[in-house]
Amino acid sequence: MLGLAFVIGVPTRLMSGYGLPLWFDETFSAVIATQPNLGSLLRWCLNELTGPAYYVPLWIWVKAFGASDVALRAASMTCSLAAPLVILRYGSPDRLLRVFWCAIVLLWLPALIFANDARSYAQLFLLGSVQAIAFLHLLRGPCTRRALSWTCVSVLLVLTHYYAIPIVGSQGVLYLLLGRQRAIKTWPAFLPVLLLLGWMAVHLPFVFGLSAACAASCYAPTPNLLPLIPLLMFGTGLQGILLLAIIGLSTVVLLAKVPPKRGSFRTMGLAPEWALVLSGALAFGLVLVFATVRPGFAPRYLAPCHPALLFAVAWWMRWSIDRSAIPVLALFAAMAGGMLQETRAALTDTALDHRHLFNLEQPSAWLLQRHPDRLVFAFADPVGVASSATPLGRANVGEVGGFFLRRAGQAVEVVVAGRAHAPPSSSEVLSLAGTDPRSAILWIGNDVSSPGHIVPKLAEGSWECRDFGKPMATVVACRRKR
């Protein structure tokens, strides 16, 4: 099973999404990773929604390997391939449990999105896996050294993405409840948290300010995410329902055949595995509850919780294999089948998905054919309006808009359209472009999150325009007619 998981999972990771243009959020990673010095890197990190623990290593990575699409995504691919290897080596003293945990991580469909994505989620999953292993070691023998290991990786998790706070908080509370006096004696291990709190004190005002500025119009809270739990756990609703059905039904059947002896179930206080599973479930639930009251949730924000949830599946497999191999093989076959289907899609389907339709790379390449030296950039949805409300924000948005032109060696002046707290209009964009024969226009708007934003009316007179985002997003590029 493990051999098949490697044979199927690794090539599919390498192929899935390969060659697709960087989608819009990846462009932010590229801009931050190509900052010329530490000062500008710090400025960007303080004016971005996520923490510096992803951007600083990526900045170093780019210095070594360059800023091509492949190089930028290779950092995530490295993390995605490292996670199952770390689990296989250190995941548990029980060899079979390590094997099952590694195998299902290799066959887990959302890993394909993280692996070829120049964003922080593959790193989050890797750190979450290391954190889960450190948590198990800590509960087996609480001491300051093990607590420090758990604390350091937990701080890195939160400094990578604030949606790691639920899993860190859940494990921290469980450790104190289960360890009691032994846990309290390890208090020096929590000193690294002061570094995290210091960063959050400086950074969170920006995060809260931007979130408040677009909370009412960027996204809508999801009132009920319970029906989506299978999808959120396993990547697709159909496969998720099938896997949960296999686990649930086979557990009932196996318990009916061989009922547990009285006292055979260990308490949570004696079973670190129970605590890890519970921490994953608690964090998963907290994120879903938060998503129902706050806008802006995306399934990828659950990445820090998933190592613990997939450990729960592996633990069930370890329990089941001693009673019957059939449920384990059925679950493995379902996951392998889903991954093989993705392999086929990666080899045959060349159409862009909704994320990659929302990109600046393709329209920038089209504009580059005329070598523009002046670009009017309109980030027209509410996120763009909120991001452009300050001079520093407008400068950052301008860096994003002109990134691909500048990466290709084209010197270009970027003018950001729109006024403070007001979206750009077509007339304003055309006015800013003026009559310069080497000017160009790039207008974007996320139709998925903000379907009500203004659709530009630019194709008139001397302008030749093309919409690269249909039907999922508005990505309109305009250049002068010849």
Side-chain angles (χ1 to χ4, degrees), residues 152-202:
C152 288
V153 72
S154 296
V155 167
L156 284 174
L157 258 176
V158 179
L159 286 175
T160 302
H161 204 293
Y162 290 127
Y163 267 92
I165 290 176
I167 189 68
V168 171
S170 297
Q171 291 185 4
V173 170
L174 287 171
Y175 172 58
L176 293 174
L177 289 176
L178 300 175
R180 299 183 183 180
Q181 291 298 320
R182 295 180 70 186
I184 293 173
K185 290 179 180 179
T186 63
W187 67 266
F190 289 84
L191 291 177
V193 175
L194 297 177
L195 172 66
L196 172 63
L197 295 176
W199 172 265
M200 292 172 68
V202 176

Side-chain angles (χ1 to χ4, degrees), residues 13 84 97 101 173-174 215 267 298 369 397 416 422 455 458 468 477:
R13 275 169 167 77
L97 181 53
W101 194 7
V173 170
L174 287 171
T267 64
Q369 296 173 5
V397 169
V416 179
V455 177
L458 303 172
F468 288 82

Side-chain angles (χ1 to χ4, degrees), residues 107-423:
L107 298 177
W108 186 57
L109 289 179
L112 302 182
I113 299 175
F114 301 159
N116 254 314
D117 192 23
R119 298 296 288 164
S120 62
Y121 304 105
Q123 178 176 307
L124 278 173
F125 189 91
L126 173 60
L127 290 174
S129 301
V130 175
Q131 183 205 36
I133 295 168
F135 186 61
L136 289 172
H137 283 295
L138 177 59
L139 292 186
R140 291 190 188 105
C143 65
T144 301
R145 178 179 59 82
R146 291 185 176 186
L148 182 62
S149 298
W150 177 85
T151 304
C152 288
V153 72
S154 296
V155 167
L156 284 174
L157 258 176
V158 179
L159 286 175
T160 302
H161 204 293
Y162 290 127
Y163 267 92
I165 290 176
I167 189 68
V168 171
S170 297
Q171 291 185 4
V173 170
L174 287 171
Y175 172 58
L176 293 174
L177 289 176
L178 300 175
R180 299 183 183 180
Q181 291 298 320
R182 295 180 70 186
I184 293 173
K185 290 179 180 179
T186 63
W187 67 266
F190 289 84
L191 291 177
V193 175
L194 297 177
L195 172 66
L196 172 63
L197 295 176
W199 172 265
M200 292 172 68
V202 176
H203 185 226
L204 281 181
F206 167 80
V207 176
F208 291 148
L210 185 62
S211 299
C214 65
S217 53
C218 293
Y219 303 86
T222 306
N224 184 10
L225 286 167
L226 290 178
L228 299 180
I229 285 178
L231 179 149
L232 296 173
M233 286 186 63
F234 296 105
T236 69
L238 182 60
Q239 188 189 60
I241 292 171
L242 176 60
L243 295 176
L244 292 176
I246 291 172
I247 293 171
L249 293 175
S250 62
T251 300
V252 171
V253 171
L254 292 176
L255 288 175
K257 286 184 176 180
V258 185
K261 297 178 182 179
R262 180 173 295 181
S264 64
F265 286 111
R266 295 179 293 173
T267 64
M268 282 192 297
L270 297 176
E273 294 85 359
W274 273 114
L276 177 58
V277 172
L278 181 58
S279 72
L282 287 173
F284 189 83
L286 286 171
V287 174
L288 296 191
V289 169
F290 188 72
T292 63
V293 297
R294 289 286 297 175
F297 169 75
R300 58 186 180 271
Y301 298 161
L302 290 163
C305 311
H306 278 127
L309 296 175
L310 295 180
F311 172 83
V313 179
W315 199 31
W316 168 84
M317 295 171 76
R318 181 65 184 90
W319 171 83
S320 177
I321 200 71
D322 289 336
R323 292 153 181 82
S324 173
I326 294 174
V328 174
L329 293 174
L331 183 134
F332 179 83
M335 296 193 75
M339 190 63 76
L340 286 171
Q341 185 175 356
E342 290 301 317
T343 305
R344 181 191 61 80
L347 292 172
T348 59
D349 187 1
T350 59
L352 296 185
D353 57 50
H354 70 276
R355 287 193 315 151
H356 293 93
L357 278 170
F358 190 46
N359 78 83
L360 301 180
E361 187 168 359
Q362 288 179 318
S364 296
W366 185 70
L367 294 176
L368 193 62
Q369 296 173 5
R370 302 287 171 83
H371 303 288
D373 55 18
R374 191 167 184 272
L375 176 70
V376 179
F377 182 56
F379 190 0
D381 66 30
V383 177
V385 174
S387 301
S388 306
T390 65
L392 178 57
R394 293 174 72 83
N396 288 346
V397 169
E399 284 192 58
V400 172
F403 171 76
F404 292 103
L405 295 174
R406 289 167 176 159
R407 188 178 72 171
Q410 178 66 42
V412 61
E413 174 195 4
V414 180
V415 179
V416 179
R419 299 171 300 280
H421 308 296

